[in-house]
Amino acid sequence: MPTRASSPDYDDFWAGFWYFRLPELFSTCVAFSLVADMGFARGDIGNWSMSIWCFCFAMTLIIVMVELWRLPSHFPFYWYNFPVTYACYAALVCLSTSITYSITYVQFLLYGPSRDRAIAATAFSCIASVVYALDVAWVWDWYDLSDIPCYVHTVPGLLKVLETFVAGVIFAFLSNTSLYLHQPALEWCVAVYSICFILAAVVLLLNLGEREYRLPVPFSIYQLVLSLLSVLLYISALVLWPLYQFSEELGGQPQRPSDGDCRDELTYNMCAWDQRLAVAVLTAANLLVYVADLVYWARQVSVGTED
Protein backbone atom coordinates (compact mmCIF):
# COMPACT_ATOMS: atom_id res chain seq x y z
CA MET A 1 0.00 0.00 0.00
CA PRO A 2 1.61 3.32 -1.07
CA THR A 3 1.98 6.05 1.54
CA ARG A 4 2.74 9.78 1.33
CA ALA A 5 6.44 8.94 1.56
CA SER A 6 6.34 6.36 -1.25
CA SER A 7 5.11 6.11 -4.82
CA PRO A 8 2.75 3.65 -6.50
CA ASP A 9 4.20 0.53 -8.06
CA TYR A 10 5.95 1.02 -11.41
CA ASP A 11 3.62 -1.50 -13.06
CA ASP A 12 0.68 0.64 -11.94
CA PHE A 13 2.29 3.63 -13.63
CA TRP A 14 2.51 1.84 -16.98
CA ALA A 15 -1.02 0.53 -16.66
CA GLY A 16 -2.26 4.07 -15.97
CA PHE A 17 -0.19 5.33 -18.91
CA TRP A 18 -1.67 2.91 -21.43
CA TYR A 19 -5.25 3.28 -20.23
CA PHE A 20 -5.35 7.03 -19.48
CA ARG A 21 -2.26 9.11 -20.27
CA LEU A 22 -1.64 7.81 -23.80
CA PRO A 23 -5.28 8.29 -24.95
CA GLU A 24 -5.20 11.80 -23.42
CA LEU A 25 -2.00 12.66 -25.30
CA PHE A 26 -3.25 11.15 -28.55
CA SER A 27 -6.70 12.77 -28.56
CA THR A 28 -5.48 16.28 -27.67
CA CYS A 29 -2.61 16.03 -30.17
CA VAL A 30 -4.94 14.98 -33.00
CA ALA A 31 -7.45 17.71 -32.10
CA PHE A 32 -4.99 20.60 -32.27
CA SER A 33 -3.22 19.12 -35.32
CA LEU A 34 -6.47 18.98 -37.29
CA VAL A 35 -7.30 22.62 -36.46
CA ALA A 36 -3.74 23.79 -37.12
CA ASP A 37 -3.95 22.23 -40.60
CA MET A 38 -6.86 24.58 -41.45
CA GLY A 39 -4.55 27.61 -41.62
CA PHE A 40 -6.02 31.11 -41.42
CA ALA A 41 -9.53 29.77 -41.92
CA ARG A 42 -9.65 28.57 -38.32
CA GLY A 43 -10.24 32.12 -37.00
CA ASP A 44 -10.03 33.34 -33.40
CA ILE A 45 -12.25 30.56 -32.07
CA GLY A 46 -10.04 27.97 -33.74
CA ASN A 47 -6.87 29.57 -32.34
CA TRP A 48 -8.39 29.64 -28.84
CA SER A 49 -9.47 25.99 -29.07
CA MET A 50 -6.11 24.92 -30.45
CA SER A 51 -4.28 26.66 -27.60
CA ILE A 52 -6.47 24.79 -25.07
CA TRP A 53 -5.70 21.41 -26.63
CA CYS A 54 -1.98 22.27 -26.86
CA PHE A 55 -1.91 23.20 -23.18
CA CYS A 56 -3.67 19.97 -22.15
CA PHE A 57 -1.24 17.94 -24.25
CA ALA A 58 1.79 19.70 -22.75
CA MET A 59 0.60 19.38 -19.14
CA THR A 60 -0.22 15.69 -19.59
CA LEU A 61 3.23 15.11 -21.09
CA ILE A 62 4.87 16.88 -18.12
CA ILE A 63 2.91 14.69 -15.68
CA VAL A 64 4.00 11.55 -17.56
CA MET A 65 7.66 12.65 -17.46
CA VAL A 66 7.53 13.42 -13.72
CA GLU A 67 6.02 10.03 -12.90
CA LEU A 68 8.24 8.16 -15.37
CA TRP A 69 11.41 9.61 -13.81
CA ARG A 70 10.01 9.00 -10.29
CA LEU A 71 10.22 12.64 -9.25
CA PRO A 72 7.00 12.98 -7.16
CA SER A 73 8.91 12.67 -3.88
CA HIS A 74 10.93 15.79 -4.74
CA PHE A 75 7.89 18.09 -4.52
CA PRO A 76 7.01 19.92 -1.28
CA PHE A 77 3.42 18.62 -1.50
CA TYR A 78 1.86 15.23 -2.11
CA TRP A 79 2.28 14.97 -5.89
CA TYR A 80 -0.64 12.70 -6.74
CA ASN A 81 -3.18 15.33 -5.71
CA PHE A 82 -1.92 17.47 -8.60
CA PRO A 83 -2.54 15.16 -11.61
CA VAL A 84 -6.02 14.28 -10.36
CA THR A 85 -6.88 17.97 -9.90
CA TYR A 86 -5.43 18.78 -13.31
CA ALA A 87 -7.41 15.95 -14.94
CA CYS A 88 -10.60 17.36 -13.40
CA TYR A 89 -9.91 20.77 -14.94
CA ALA A 90 -8.85 19.23 -18.25
CA ALA A 91 -12.10 17.26 -18.51
CA LEU A 92 -14.13 20.44 -17.99
CA VAL A 93 -11.96 22.51 -20.33
CA CYS A 94 -12.03 19.98 -23.18
CA LEU A 95 -15.80 19.56 -22.81
CA SER A 96 -16.46 23.31 -22.85
CA THR A 97 -14.09 23.75 -25.81
CA SER A 98 -15.93 21.04 -27.75
CA ILE A 99 -19.27 22.73 -27.12
CA THR A 100 -18.04 26.27 -27.86
CA TYR A 101 -16.14 25.26 -30.99
CA SER A 102 -19.05 23.32 -32.46
CA ILE A 103 -21.71 25.96 -31.66
CA THR A 104 -19.81 29.10 -32.66
CA TYR A 105 -17.75 27.74 -35.56
CA VAL A 106 -18.38 24.25 -36.94
CA GLN A 107 -22.09 24.70 -37.65
CA PHE A 108 -21.38 27.66 -39.93
CA LEU A 109 -18.79 25.90 -42.10
CA LEU A 110 -19.68 24.80 -45.62
CA TYR A 111 -19.45 21.10 -46.39
CA GLY A 112 -15.93 20.20 -47.37
CA PRO A 113 -12.48 19.26 -46.01
CA SER A 114 -12.38 22.13 -43.50
CA ARG A 115 -15.72 21.14 -42.00
CA ASP A 116 -14.63 17.49 -41.81
CA ARG A 117 -11.45 18.48 -39.98
CA ALA A 118 -13.37 20.69 -37.56
CA ILE A 119 -15.89 17.92 -36.81
CA ALA A 120 -13.08 15.40 -36.28
CA ALA A 121 -11.26 17.82 -33.94
CA THR A 122 -14.46 18.29 -31.92
CA ALA A 123 -14.90 14.51 -31.68
CA PHE A 124 -11.34 13.99 -30.42
CA SER A 125 -11.83 16.82 -27.92
CA CYS A 126 -14.90 15.01 -26.58
CA ILE A 127 -12.90 11.79 -26.33
CA ALA A 128 -10.20 13.64 -24.38
CA SER A 129 -12.84 14.99 -22.00
CA VAL A 130 -14.18 11.49 -21.33
CA VAL A 131 -10.71 10.04 -20.75
CA TYR A 132 -9.76 12.85 -18.37
CA ALA A 133 -13.00 12.26 -16.46
CA LEU A 134 -12.17 8.55 -16.16
CA ASP A 135 -8.72 9.61 -14.99
CA VAL A 136 -10.28 11.62 -12.15
CA ALA A 137 -12.64 8.82 -11.16
CA TRP A 138 -10.33 5.81 -11.31
CA VAL A 139 -6.64 6.69 -11.15
CA TRP A 140 -6.61 7.25 -7.38
CA ASP A 141 -7.91 3.73 -6.81
CA TRP A 142 -5.83 2.41 -9.72
CA TYR A 143 -2.67 3.55 -7.93
CA ASP A 144 -4.07 2.00 -4.72
CA LEU A 145 -4.10 5.35 -2.91
CA SER A 146 -7.55 4.86 -1.36
CA ASP A 147 -6.20 5.30 2.19
CA ILE A 148 -4.86 8.79 1.34
CA PRO A 149 -7.50 11.54 1.08
CA CYS A 150 -7.89 13.26 -2.28
CA TYR A 151 -9.33 16.79 -2.06
CA VAL A 152 -10.90 16.73 -5.53
CA HIS A 153 -12.85 13.59 -4.58
CA THR A 154 -14.69 15.54 -1.84
CA VAL A 155 -17.76 17.75 -2.23
CA PRO A 156 -15.98 21.03 -1.31
CA GLY A 157 -13.09 20.09 -3.59
CA LEU A 158 -15.36 19.57 -6.59
CA LEU A 159 -17.21 22.80 -5.81
CA LYS A 160 -13.93 24.75 -5.70
CA VAL A 161 -12.90 23.28 -9.05
CA LEU A 162 -16.24 24.30 -10.55
CA GLU A 163 -16.04 27.81 -9.07
CA THR A 164 -12.58 28.49 -10.47
CA PHE A 165 -13.37 26.83 -13.81
CA VAL A 166 -16.54 28.85 -14.42
CA ALA A 167 -14.67 32.02 -13.43
CA GLY A 168 -11.96 31.12 -15.93
CA VAL A 169 -14.55 30.79 -18.71
CA ILE A 170 -16.00 34.18 -17.71
CA PHE A 171 -12.51 35.71 -17.98
CA ALA A 172 -12.19 34.26 -21.49
CA PHE A 173 -15.29 36.19 -22.55
CA LEU A 174 -14.11 39.30 -20.71
CA SER A 175 -10.96 39.39 -22.83
CA ASN A 176 -13.11 41.65 -25.01
CA THR A 177 -12.65 44.77 -22.88
CA SER A 178 -15.26 46.72 -24.85
CA LEU A 179 -17.91 44.76 -22.93
CA TYR A 180 -17.29 46.59 -19.66
CA LEU A 181 -14.74 49.45 -19.77
CA HIS A 182 -17.40 52.05 -20.63
CA GLN A 183 -19.34 51.58 -17.38
CA PRO A 184 -18.05 51.59 -13.74
CA ALA A 185 -20.81 49.19 -12.63
CA LEU A 186 -19.59 46.62 -15.16
CA GLU A 187 -16.00 47.16 -14.04
CA TRP A 188 -17.22 46.33 -10.53
CA CYS A 189 -18.58 43.03 -11.88
CA VAL A 190 -15.17 42.20 -13.33
CA ALA A 191 -13.61 43.00 -9.95
CA VAL A 192 -16.12 40.63 -8.31
CA TYR A 193 -15.17 37.79 -10.66
CA SER A 194 -11.48 38.41 -9.96
CA ILE A 195 -11.82 38.62 -6.16
CA CYS A 196 -13.94 35.47 -5.90
CA PHE A 197 -11.62 33.58 -8.24
CA ILE A 198 -8.59 34.49 -6.11
CA LEU A 199 -10.37 33.46 -2.89
CA ALA A 200 -11.40 30.10 -4.34
CA ALA A 201 -7.92 29.51 -5.79
CA VAL A 202 -6.31 30.24 -2.40
CA VAL A 203 -8.54 27.65 -0.71
CA LEU A 204 -7.75 25.12 -3.43
CA LEU A 205 -4.01 25.69 -3.11
CA LEU A 206 -4.15 25.48 0.70
CA ASN A 207 -5.77 22.08 0.44
CA LEU A 208 -3.49 20.76 -2.30
CA GLY A 209 -0.47 21.95 -0.33
CA GLU A 210 -1.97 20.51 2.89
CA ARG A 211 -1.68 23.87 4.64
CA GLU A 212 -5.36 24.33 5.52
CA TYR A 213 -4.93 23.50 9.23
CA ARG A 214 -2.15 26.05 9.73
CA LEU A 215 -4.62 28.93 9.64
CA PRO A 216 -5.25 30.88 12.88
CA VAL A 217 -8.98 30.02 12.68
CA PRO A 218 -10.74 26.68 12.09
CA PHE A 219 -10.76 25.87 8.40
CA SER A 220 -14.52 25.32 8.34
CA ILE A 221 -15.10 28.85 9.70
CA TYR A 222 -12.63 30.24 7.17
CA GLN A 223 -14.45 28.48 4.33
CA LEU A 224 -17.84 29.62 5.58
CA VAL A 225 -16.82 33.28 5.70
CA LEU A 226 -15.25 33.16 2.23
CA SER A 227 -18.30 31.40 0.77
CA LEU A 228 -20.67 33.96 2.30
CA LEU A 229 -18.57 36.85 0.99
CA SER A 230 -18.44 35.29 -2.49
CA VAL A 231 -22.20 34.74 -2.56
CA LEU A 232 -22.87 38.38 -1.64
CA LEU A 233 -20.42 39.63 -4.27
CA TYR A 234 -21.86 37.38 -6.97
CA ILE A 235 -25.39 38.54 -6.16
CA SER A 236 -24.30 42.11 -6.85
CA ALA A 237 -22.73 41.03 -10.16
CA LEU A 238 -25.83 39.05 -11.13
CA VAL A 239 -27.94 42.18 -10.66
CA LEU A 240 -25.60 44.74 -12.23
CA TRP A 241 -24.28 42.84 -15.27
CA PRO A 242 -27.67 42.10 -16.96
CA LEU A 243 -29.04 45.48 -15.87
CA TYR A 244 -26.31 47.51 -17.55
CA GLN A 245 -25.87 45.18 -20.53
CA PHE A 246 -29.50 44.61 -21.56
CA SER A 247 -31.45 47.63 -20.27
CA GLU A 248 -31.97 50.38 -22.84
CA GLU A 249 -32.42 52.98 -20.09
CA LEU A 250 -28.87 52.29 -18.90
CA GLY A 251 -27.31 52.07 -22.35
CA GLY A 252 -27.70 48.32 -22.82
CA GLN A 253 -28.98 46.33 -25.79
CA PRO A 254 -31.99 44.15 -24.93
CA GLN A 255 -32.13 42.24 -28.24
CA ARG A 256 -29.54 40.52 -30.36
CA PRO A 257 -28.72 42.72 -33.36
CA SER A 258 -28.97 41.29 -36.86
CA ASP A 259 -26.09 43.30 -38.27
CA GLY A 260 -22.43 43.91 -37.42
CA ASP A 261 -20.62 41.01 -35.79
CA CYS A 262 -23.92 39.26 -34.98
CA ARG A 263 -25.04 38.60 -38.56
CA ASP A 264 -25.90 34.97 -39.28
CA GLU A 265 -22.79 33.99 -41.19
CA LEU A 266 -19.31 32.81 -40.34
CA THR A 267 -17.19 35.68 -38.99
CA TYR A 268 -14.64 33.53 -37.09
CA ASN A 269 -15.47 35.54 -33.96
CA MET A 270 -18.15 35.32 -31.30
CA CYS A 271 -20.81 38.04 -31.39
CA ALA A 272 -20.33 40.69 -28.65
CA TRP A 273 -23.99 40.43 -27.62
CA ASP A 274 -23.60 36.65 -27.26
CA GLN A 275 -20.56 37.25 -25.06
CA ARG A 276 -22.59 39.53 -22.81
CA LEU A 277 -25.33 36.91 -22.53
CA ALA A 278 -22.80 34.13 -21.85
CA VAL A 279 -21.26 36.10 -18.98
CA ALA A 280 -24.73 36.69 -17.48
CA VAL A 281 -25.60 32.98 -17.67
CA LEU A 282 -22.24 31.91 -16.25
CA THR A 283 -22.61 34.43 -13.41
CA ALA A 284 -25.92 32.84 -12.43
CA ALA A 285 -24.43 29.35 -12.71
CA ASN A 286 -21.44 30.19 -10.55
CA LEU A 287 -23.67 31.85 -7.97
CA LEU A 288 -25.54 28.54 -7.61
CA VAL A 289 -22.22 26.74 -7.08
CA TYR A 290 -21.20 29.25 -4.40
CA VAL A 291 -24.59 28.88 -2.71
CA ALA A 292 -24.10 25.10 -2.62
CA ASP A 293 -20.63 25.67 -1.14
CA LEU A 294 -22.09 28.03 1.48
CA VAL A 295 -24.81 25.53 2.44
CA TYR A 296 -22.23 22.75 2.77
CA TRP A 297 -19.95 24.71 5.11
CA ALA A 298 -22.86 26.14 7.09
CA ARG A 299 -23.97 22.59 7.78
CA GLN A 300 -20.40 21.55 8.70
CA VAL A 301 -20.09 24.41 11.16
CA SER A 302 -23.56 23.83 12.62
CA VAL A 303 -22.88 20.17 13.40
CA GLY A 304 -19.30 20.89 14.49
CA THR A 305 -17.64 18.51 11.99
CA GLU A 306 -15.36 18.86 8.99
CA ASP A 307 -15.15 16.72 5.89
Side-chain angles (χ1 to χ4, degrees), residues 167-197:
V169 178
I170 291 175
F171 291 141
F173 288 117
L174 293 178
S175 60
N176 181 4
T177 57
S178 63
L179 297 181
Y180 59 88
L181 283 182
H182 61 284
Q183 181 57 253
L186 298 177
E187 293 178 2
W188 163 255
C189 294
V190 177
V192 166
Y193 303 138
S194 302
I195 292 170
C196 293
F197 173 81

Side-chain angles (χ1 to χ4, degrees), residues 4 76-82 85 89 140 148-161 163 199-215 218-220 222-224 226-227 293 296-297 306-307:
R4 293 182 183 276
F77 55 87
Y78 189 64
W79 161 261
Y80 292 97
N81 270 311
F82 173 75
T85 304
Y89 278 110
W140 202 259
I148 302 174
C150 178
Y151 181 60
V152 177
H153 285 179
T154 65
V155 172
L158 287 175
L159 290 175
K160 279 292 172 282
V161 169
E163 290 164 4
L199 294 178
V202 167
V203 172
L204 192 61
L205 292 174
L206 283 174
N207 277 276
L208 293 180
E210 300 179 337
R211 299 293 188 271
E212 67 271 25
Y213 294 110
R214 298 188 180 184
L215 296 171
F219 190 63
S220 57
Y222 177 77
Q223 283 269 46
L224 179 63
L226 291 189
S227 298
D293 201 5
Y296 176 87
W297 285 110
E306 295 183 4
D307 189 7

Side-chain angles (χ1 to χ4, degrees), residues 88-124:
C88 190
Y89 278 110
L92 294 170
V93 167
C94 288
L95 178 61
S96 62
T97 303
S98 304
I99 296 173
T100 303
Y101 188 62
S102 59
I103 291 177
T104 63
Y105 182 81
V106 177
Q107 66 169 331
F108 297 108
L109 285 172
L110 299 176
Y111 288 96
S114 294
R115 182 183 177 90
D116 294 338
R117 290 191 187 95
I119 293 175
T122 304
F124 276 101

Side-chain angles (χ1 to χ4, degrees), residues 246-302:
F246 305 117
S247 174
E248 281 186 309
E249 291 80 5
L250 297 174
Q253 200 168 19
Q255 294 183 342
R256 190 177 191 269
S258 58
D259 57 354
D261 62 348
C262 290
R263 61 186 182 274
D264 292 329
E265 60 183 73
L266 184 61
T267 61
Y268 305 117
N269 294 288
M270 191 172 183
C271 171
W273 193 90
D274 291 343
Q275 293 177 358
R276 297 186 180 99
L277 180 61
V279 172
V281 172
L282 290 170
T283 300
N286 219 13
L287 176 59
L288 292 176
V289 179
Y290 275 109
V291 168
D293 201 5
L294 176 62
V295 170
Y296 176 87
W297 285 110
R299 181 178 179 277
Q300 293 297 313
V301 171
S302 66

